[in-house]
Amino acid sequence: MASRMAPESMPTSATGTSISSTGRRDGDACRGFTLIEISVVLFIVGILAGAATLSITSRPLQERQHVEAQRLRQLIGLAADQAQLQGRQVGLRVSGDGYAFVSLDDARRWIPFTQGDLRTRRLPQPFTLRLSIEDTTDAPSSTPVTVDQLPATDPAVGDASGHRLAPQVLFLSSGEATPFRLDVLAPGEAQDWQVSGDALGNMTLAQVVAP
């Protein structure tokens, strides 16, 4: 009579934990991240994020001013392109500390862009804006307008006609535009960056001597 062979037993470690044929402990297959490991990862991510922010804010003031002017030039160009491509009128409202883009709807109301690249933006400190249209400076009055008073997420801001949201600079579907000069100012700098546009929608970015 043939003898039965005893089933092959699974080897165990000195601590009694079974070890599979691949040499891994059974507990290792389903082992997740420990709280310490997650904390270390979050700590490293925080350091990297802080370093990125520091690298931007630690740039020279003139360089950061140039970056803001470049962004403004690109966004104004995008607004002008959308006016032509989508066949609608787009406008720009400027305050001392920010700017907003608006578009004219079928009810002849100026509606703000609330999402995407053309959303309302506030300039980082210490920069400010100065808008000039046909040699007439649109300077802040004794009660300066801030970006908080520019178009909000609610299209009904202001009166029913949307007059309060009327832009200072227009970009028409025909490609024409309001001639303007928009200076990005920085305190104590001898030169400013200026975005300018003509009646045909041509725009330039140049460094100018501060007044």
Side-chain angles (χ1 to χ4, degrees):
M1 183 176 179
S3 61
R4 289 186 179 178
M5 296 182 64
E8 187 180 13
S9 60
M10 183 176 291
T12 58
S13 66
T15 59
T17 303
S18 61
I19 303 176
S20 66
S21 59
T22 60
R24 296 174 57 188
R25 290 180 171 81
D26 291 341
D28 291 342
C30 58
R31 176 178 174 269
F33 291 107
T34 66
L35 182 59
I36 294 178
E37 289 171 331
I38 294 175
S39 299
V40 170
V41 171
L42 293 177
F43 178 72
I44 294 174
V45 170
I47 291 178
L48 294 176
T53 302
L54 184 60
S55 66
I56 295 175
T57 57
S58 62
R59 291 179 181 177
L61 185 63
Q62 183 65 229
E63 183 179 346
R64 289 189 284 132
Q65 183 184 18
H66 186 201
V67 169
E68 290 301 324
Q70 285 180 315
R71 178 183 294 113
L72 186 56
R73 163 66 182 84
Q74 292 169 353
L75 292 175
I76 291 176
L78 177 61
D81 290 343
Q82 285 204 14
Q84 295 185 66
L85 293 174
Q86 299 179 9
R88 59 175 172 169
Q89 320 312 324
V90 177
L92 170 66
R93 282 190 58 85
V94 178
S95 72
D97 65 343
Y99 51 94
F101 293 95
V102 295
S103 65
L104 196 64
D105 68 0
D106 295 337
R108 308 296 296 174
R109 295 183 308 167
W110 289 105
I111 306 299
F113 289 85
T114 59
Q115 297 179 350
D117 293 329
L118 297 183
R119 65 188 181 279
T120 300
R121 295 174 185 266
R122 183 191 297 274
L123 286 180
Q125 294 292 334
F127 305 118
T128 56
L129 294 174
R130 182 179 63 230
L131 175 66
S132 299
I133 300 175
E134 295 182 349
D135 298 327
T136 301
T137 301
D138 186 12
S141 63
S142 57
T143 56
V145 174
T146 68
V147 74
D148 295 322
Q149 296 168 291
L150 289 176
T153 55
D154 181 4
V157 169
D159 56 32
S161 65
H163 177 73
R164 181 166 174 256
L165 307 184
Q168 299 136 320
V169 179
L170 283 174
F171 306 105
L172 305 181
S173 57
S174 63
E176 298 174 285
T178 305
F180 71 94
R181 295 192 308 274
L182 186 54
D183 296 292
V184 180
L185 312 176
E189 290 295 323
Q191 292 182 315
D192 297 323
W193 284 96
Q194 184 181 91
V195 181
S196 59
D198 62 20
L200 298 178
N202 300 313
M203 278 171 281
T204 58
L205 173 63
Q207 197 169 29
V208 297
V209 177

PDB file of all heavy atoms in Angstrom, residues 16-42:
ATOM      1  N   GLY A  16       7.903  33.301  13.186  1.00  0.00           N
ATOM      2  CA  GLY A  16       6.675  32.545  12.979  1.00  0.00           C
ATOM      3  C   GLY A  16       5.861  33.023  11.799  1.00  0.00           C
ATOM      4  O   GLY A  16       4.811  32.488  11.512  1.00  0.00           O
ATOM      5  N   THR A  17       6.332  34.069  11.075  1.00  0.00           N
ATOM      6  CA  THR A  17       5.604  34.574   9.916  1.00  0.00           C
ATOM      7  C   THR A  17       5.904  33.691   8.729  1.00  0.00           C
ATOM      8  O   THR A  17       7.060  33.394   8.442  1.00  0.00           O
ATOM      9  CB  THR A  17       6.046  36.017   9.595  1.00  0.00           C
ATOM     10  OG1 THR A  17       5.836  36.818  10.758  1.00  0.00           O
ATOM     11  CG2 THR A  17       5.242  36.567   8.429  1.00  0.00           C
ATOM     12  N   SER A  18       4.851  33.275   8.017  1.00  0.00           N
ATOM     13  CA  SER A  18       5.064  32.396   6.874  1.00  0.00           C
ATOM     14  C   SER A  18       5.685  33.154   5.729  1.00  0.00           C
ATOM     15  O   SER A  18       5.431  34.337   5.534  1.00  0.00           O
ATOM     16  CB  SER A  18       3.735  31.788   6.442  1.00  0.00           C
ATOM     17  OG  SER A  18       2.835  32.802   6.065  1.00  0.00           O
ATOM     18  N   ILE A  19       6.524  32.448   4.948  1.00  0.00           N
ATOM     19  CA  ILE A  19       7.217  33.055   3.821  1.00  0.00           C
ATOM     20  C   ILE A  19       6.794  32.323   2.573  1.00  0.00           C
ATOM     21  O   ILE A  19       6.802  31.100   2.511  1.00  0.00           O
ATOM     22  CB  ILE A  19       8.745  32.961   3.984  1.00  0.00           C
ATOM     23  CG1 ILE A  19       9.163  33.618   5.309  1.00  0.00           C
ATOM     24  CG2 ILE A  19       9.454  33.585   2.810  1.00  0.00           C
ATOM     25  CD1 ILE A  19      10.622  33.486   5.602  1.00  0.00           C
ATOM     26  N   SER A  20       6.364  33.057   1.520  1.00  0.00           N
ATOM     27  CA  SER A  20       5.914  32.441   0.285  1.00  0.00           C
ATOM     28  C   SER A  20       7.095  31.966  -0.522  1.00  0.00           C
ATOM     29  O   SER A  20       8.248  32.233  -0.196  1.00  0.00           O
ATOM     30  CB  SER A  20       5.084  33.451  -0.524  1.00  0.00           C
ATOM     31  OG  SER A  20       5.916  34.515  -0.948  1.00  0.00           O
ATOM     32  N   SER A  21       6.787  31.269  -1.628  1.00  0.00           N
ATOM     33  CA  SER A  21       7.848  30.731  -2.467  1.00  0.00           C
ATOM     34  C   SER A  21       8.673  31.821  -3.125  1.00  0.00           C
ATOM     35  O   SER A  21       9.775  31.595  -3.602  1.00  0.00           O
ATOM     36  CB  SER A  21       7.242  29.824  -3.545  1.00  0.00           C
ATOM     37  OG  SER A  21       6.314  30.562  -4.329  1.00  0.00           O
ATOM     38  N   THR A  22       8.148  33.023  -3.185  1.00  0.00           N
ATOM     39  CA  THR A  22       8.907  34.133  -3.775  1.00  0.00           C
ATOM     40  C   THR A  22       9.834  34.775  -2.775  1.00  0.00           C
ATOM     41  O   THR A  22      10.577  35.691  -3.104  1.00  0.00           O
ATOM     42  CB  THR A  22       7.937  35.213  -4.310  1.00  0.00           C
ATOM     43  OG1 THR A  22       7.146  35.697  -3.236  1.00  0.00           O
ATOM     44  CG2 THR A  22       7.043  34.647  -5.400  1.00  0.00           C
ATOM     45  N   GLY A  23       9.786  34.320  -1.541  1.00  0.00           N
ATOM     46  CA  GLY A  23      10.665  34.884  -0.518  1.00  0.00           C
ATOM     47  C   GLY A  23      10.073  36.075   0.194  1.00  0.00           C
ATOM     48  O   GLY A  23      10.735  36.688   1.022  1.00  0.00           O
ATOM     49  N   ARG A  24       8.806  36.440  -0.125  1.00  0.00           N
ATOM     50  CA  ARG A  24       8.194  37.595   0.524  1.00  0.00           C
ATOM     51  C   ARG A  24       7.287  37.121   1.644  1.00  0.00           C
ATOM     52  O   ARG A  24       6.615  36.106   1.547  1.00  0.00           O
ATOM     53  CB  ARG A  24       7.363  38.401  -0.479  1.00  0.00           C
ATOM     54  CG  ARG A  24       8.182  39.015  -1.590  1.00  0.00           C
ATOM     55  CD  ARG A  24       7.282  39.663  -2.625  1.00  0.00           C
ATOM     56  NE  ARG A  24       6.435  40.671  -1.991  1.00  0.00           N
ATOM     57  CZ  ARG A  24       5.445  41.267  -2.651  1.00  0.00           C
ATOM     58  NH1 ARG A  24       5.159  40.932  -3.865  1.00  0.00           N
ATOM     59  NH2 ARG A  24       4.724  42.183  -2.031  1.00  0.00           N
ATOM     60  N   ARG A  25       7.243  37.862   2.710  1.00  0.00           N
ATOM     61  CA  ARG A  25       6.321  37.568   3.801  1.00  0.00           C
ATOM     62  C   ARG A  25       4.908  37.895   3.351  1.00  0.00           C
ATOM     63  O   ARG A  25       4.667  38.818   2.589  1.00  0.00           O
ATOM     64  CB  ARG A  25       6.686  38.381   5.047  1.00  0.00           C
ATOM     65  CG  ARG A  25       7.992  37.921   5.702  1.00  0.00           C
ATOM     66  CD  ARG A  25       8.284  38.763   6.932  1.00  0.00           C
ATOM     67  NE  ARG A  25       9.390  38.225   7.691  1.00  0.00           N
ATOM     68  CZ  ARG A  25      10.669  38.421   7.408  1.00  0.00           C
ATOM     69  NH1 ARG A  25      10.985  39.155   6.342  1.00  0.00           N
ATOM     70  NH2 ARG A  25      11.619  37.911   8.157  1.00  0.00           N
ATOM     71  N   ASP A  26       3.949  37.098   3.818  1.00  0.00           N
ATOM     72  CA  ASP A  26       2.564  37.319   3.428  1.00  0.00           C
ATOM     73  C   ASP A  26       2.088  38.718   3.773  1.00  0.00           C
ATOM     74  O   ASP A  26       1.317  39.326   3.049  1.00  0.00           O
ATOM     75  CB  ASP A  26       1.647  36.291   4.118  1.00  0.00           C
ATOM     76  CG  ASP A  26       1.892  34.882   3.574  1.00  0.00           C
ATOM     77  OD1 ASP A  26       2.460  34.789   2.473  1.00  0.00           O
ATOM     78  OD2 ASP A  26       1.496  33.915   4.254  1.00  0.00           O
ATOM     79  N   GLY A  27       2.545  39.266   4.866  1.00  0.00           N
ATOM     80  CA  GLY A  27       2.092  40.590   5.301  1.00  0.00           C
ATOM     81  C   GLY A  27       2.579  41.698   4.390  1.00  0.00           C
ATOM     82  O   GLY A  27       1.989  42.761   4.319  1.00  0.00           O
ATOM     83  N   ASP A  28       3.720  41.455   3.656  1.00  0.00           N
ATOM     84  CA  ASP A  28       4.279  42.514   2.822  1.00  0.00           C
ATOM     85  C   ASP A  28       3.420  42.797   1.602  1.00  0.00           C
ATOM     86  O   ASP A  28       3.435  43.887   1.049  1.00  0.00           O
ATOM     87  CB  ASP A  28       5.690  42.129   2.350  1.00  0.00           C
ATOM     88  CG  ASP A  28       6.683  42.129   3.511  1.00  0.00           C
ATOM     89  OD1 ASP A  28       6.332  42.739   4.536  1.00  0.00           O
ATOM     90  OD2 ASP A  28       7.770  41.543   3.370  1.00  0.00           O
ATOM     91  N   ALA A  29       2.656  41.804   1.130  1.00  0.00           N
ATOM     92  CA  ALA A  29       1.898  41.963  -0.107  1.00  0.00           C
ATOM     93  C   ALA A  29       0.804  43.007   0.027  1.00  0.00           C
ATOM     94  O   ALA A  29       0.444  43.667  -0.936  1.00  0.00           O
ATOM     95  CB  ALA A  29       1.297  40.618  -0.514  1.00  0.00           C
ATOM     96  N   CYS A  30       0.254  43.158   1.203  1.00  0.00           N
ATOM     97  CA  CYS A  30      -0.850  44.095   1.378  1.00  0.00           C
ATOM     98  C   CYS A  30      -0.461  45.259   2.281  1.00  0.00           C
ATOM     99  O   CYS A  30      -1.308  45.969   2.778  1.00  0.00           O
ATOM    100  CB  CYS A  30      -2.075  43.370   1.953  1.00  0.00           C
ATOM    101  SG  CYS A  30      -1.753  42.555   3.538  1.00  0.00           S
ATOM    102  N   ARG A  31       0.827  45.418   2.487  1.00  0.00           N
ATOM    103  CA  ARG A  31       1.293  46.480   3.378  1.00  0.00           C
ATOM    104  C   ARG A  31       1.166  47.838   2.671  1.00  0.00           C
ATOM    105  O   ARG A  31       1.608  48.004   1.550  1.00  0.00           O
ATOM    106  CB  ARG A  31       2.745  46.227   3.747  1.00  0.00           C
ATOM    107  CG  ARG A  31       3.377  47.322   4.605  1.00  0.00           C
ATOM    108  CD  ARG A  31       4.809  46.950   4.950  1.00  0.00           C
ATOM    109  NE  ARG A  31       5.472  48.039   5.636  1.00  0.00           N
ATOM    110  CZ  ARG A  31       6.157  48.977   5.017  1.00  0.00           C
ATOM    111  NH1 ARG A  31       6.203  48.991   3.695  1.00  0.00           N
ATOM    112  NH2 ARG A  31       6.761  49.928   5.699  1.00  0.00           N
ATOM    113  N   GLY A  32       0.501  48.820   3.299  1.00  0.00           N
ATOM    114  CA  GLY A  32       0.359  50.151   2.722  1.00  0.00           C
ATOM    115  C   GLY A  32       1.394  51.100   3.293  1.00  0.00           C
ATOM    116  O   GLY A  32       2.322  50.694   3.996  1.00  0.00           O
ATOM    117  N   PHE A  33       1.222  52.403   2.949  1.00  0.00           N
ATOM    118  CA  PHE A  33       2.129  53.405   3.465  1.00  0.00           C
ATOM    119  C   PHE A  33       1.823  53.656   4.939  1.00  0.00           C
ATOM    120  O   PHE A  33       0.669  53.708   5.342  1.00  0.00           O
ATOM    121  CB  PHE A  33       1.992  54.713   2.688  1.00  0.00           C
ATOM    122  CG  PHE A  33       2.486  54.629   1.275  1.00  0.00           C
ATOM    123  CD1 PHE A  33       1.583  54.620   0.221  1.00  0.00           C
ATOM    124  CD2 PHE A  33       3.842  54.558   0.994  1.00  0.00           C
ATOM    125  CE1 PHE A  33       2.025  54.534  -1.086  1.00  0.00           C
ATOM    126  CE2 PHE A  33       4.296  54.473  -0.309  1.00  0.00           C
ATOM    127  CZ  PHE A  33       3.386  54.458  -1.355  1.00  0.00           C
ATOM    128  N   THR A  34       2.843  53.844   5.711  1.00  0.00           N
ATOM    129  CA  THR A  34       2.645  54.170   7.117  1.00  0.00           C
ATOM    130  C   THR A  34       2.411  55.665   7.252  1.00  0.00           C
ATOM    131  O   THR A  34       2.687  56.444   6.334  1.00  0.00           O
ATOM    132  CB  THR A  34       3.873  53.771   7.948  1.00  0.00           C
ATOM    133  OG1 THR A  34       4.984  54.581   7.549  1.00  0.00           O
ATOM    134  CG2 THR A  34       4.214  52.301   7.745  1.00  0.00           C
ATOM    135  N   LEU A  35       1.909  56.079   8.393  1.00  0.00           N
ATOM    136  CA  LEU A  35       1.649  57.495   8.651  1.00  0.00           C
ATOM    137  C   LEU A  35       2.941  58.298   8.578  1.00  0.00           C
ATOM    138  O   LEU A  35       2.956  59.430   8.089  1.00  0.00           O
ATOM    139  CB  LEU A  35       0.988  57.651  10.026  1.00  0.00           C
ATOM    140  CG  LEU A  35       0.612  59.078  10.439  1.00  0.00           C
ATOM    141  CD1 LEU A  35      -0.349  59.680   9.429  1.00  0.00           C
ATOM    142  CD2 LEU A  35       0.010  59.080  11.829  1.00  0.00           C
ATOM    143  N   ILE A  36       4.026  57.712   9.040  1.00  0.00           N
ATOM    144  CA  ILE A  36       5.319  58.411   9.015  1.00  0.00           C
ATOM    145  C   ILE A  36       5.753  58.651   7.575  1.00  0.00           C
ATOM    146  O   ILE A  36       6.220  59.740   7.220  1.00  0.00           O
ATOM    147  CB  ILE A  36       6.395  57.606   9.776  1.00  0.00           C
ATOM    148  CG1 ILE A  36       6.052  57.550  11.271  1.00  0.00           C
ATOM    149  CG2 ILE A  36       7.775  58.210   9.560  1.00  0.00           C
ATOM    150  CD1 ILE A  36       7.029  56.743  12.088  1.00  0.00           C
ATOM    151  N   GLU A  37       5.589  57.626   6.709  1.00  0.00           N
ATOM    152  CA  GLU A  37       5.993  57.768   5.306  1.00  0.00           C
ATOM    153  C   GLU A  37       5.164  58.836   4.600  1.00  0.00           C
ATOM    154  O   GLU A  37       5.693  59.651   3.842  1.00  0.00           O
ATOM    155  CB  GLU A  37       5.843  56.425   4.592  1.00  0.00           C
ATOM    156  CG  GLU A  37       6.878  55.397   5.021  1.00  0.00           C
ATOM    157  CD  GLU A  37       6.591  54.004   4.474  1.00  0.00           C
ATOM    158  OE1 GLU A  37       5.398  53.690   4.253  1.00  0.00           O
ATOM    159  OE2 GLU A  37       7.554  53.261   4.270  1.00  0.00           O
ATOM    160  N   ILE A  38       3.851  58.856   4.870  1.00  0.00           N
ATOM    161  CA  ILE A  38       2.990  59.875   4.263  1.00  0.00           C
ATOM    162  C   ILE A  38       3.388  61.263   4.748  1.00  0.00           C
ATOM    163  O   ILE A  38       3.430  62.220   3.969  1.00  0.00           O
ATOM    164  CB  ILE A  38       1.519  59.585   4.597  1.00  0.00           C
ATOM    165  CG1 ILE A  38       1.077  58.270   3.938  1.00  0.00           C
ATOM    166  CG2 ILE A  38       0.616  60.729   4.135  1.00  0.00           C
ATOM    167  CD1 ILE A  38      -0.326  57.839   4.299  1.00  0.00           C
ATOM    168  N   SER A  39       3.692  61.379   6.039  1.00  0.00           N
ATOM    169  CA  SER A  39       4.096  62.671   6.605  1.00  0.00           C
ATOM    170  C   SER A  39       5.375  63.166   5.963  1.00  0.00           C
ATOM    171  O   SER A  39       5.525  64.356   5.672  1.00  0.00           O
ATOM    172  CB  SER A  39       4.269  62.547   8.120  1.00  0.00           C
ATOM    173  OG  SER A  39       3.070  62.164   8.738  1.00  0.00           O
ATOM    174  N   VAL A  40       6.317  62.251   5.725  1.00  0.00           N
ATOM    175  CA  VAL A  40       7.586  62.630   5.095  1.00  0.00           C
ATOM    176  C   VAL A  40       7.343  63.143   3.679  1.00  0.00           C
ATOM    177  O   VAL A  40       7.911  64.153   3.254  1.00  0.00           O
ATOM    178  CB  VAL A  40       8.557  61.439   5.082  1.00  0.00           C
ATOM    179  CG1 VAL A  40       9.778  61.749   4.213  1.00  0.00           C
ATOM    180  CG2 VAL A  40       9.001  61.104   6.494  1.00  0.00           C
ATOM    181  N   VAL A  41       6.468  62.454   2.928  1.00  0.00           N
ATOM    182  CA  VAL A  41       6.166  62.874   1.557  1.00  0.00           C
ATOM    183  C   VAL A  41       5.528  64.260   1.541  1.00  0.00           C
ATOM    184  O   VAL A  41       5.903  65.132   0.748  1.00  0.00           O
ATOM    185  CB  VAL A  41       5.231  61.854   0.872  1.00  0.00           C
ATOM    186  CG1 VAL A  41       4.735  62.396  -0.467  1.00  0.00           C
ATOM    187  CG2 VAL A  41       5.955  60.538   0.649  1.00  0.00           C
ATOM    188  N   LEU A  42       4.554  64.486   2.430  1.00  0.00           N
ATOM    189  CA  LEU A  42       3.898  65.787   2.499  1.00  0.00           C
ATOM    190  C   LEU A  42       4.884  66.877   2.893  1.00  0.00           C
ATOM    191  O   LEU A  42       4.813  68.007   2.392  1.00  0.00           O
ATOM    192  CB  LEU A  42       2.738  65.745   3.502  1.00  0.00           C
ATOM    193  CG  LEU A  42       1.547  64.859   3.107  1.00  0.00           C
ATOM    194  CD1 LEU A  42       0.510  64.840   4.221  1.00  0.00           C
ATOM    195  CD2 LEU A  42       0.922  65.362   1.811  1.00  0.00           C
TER     196      LEU A  42
END
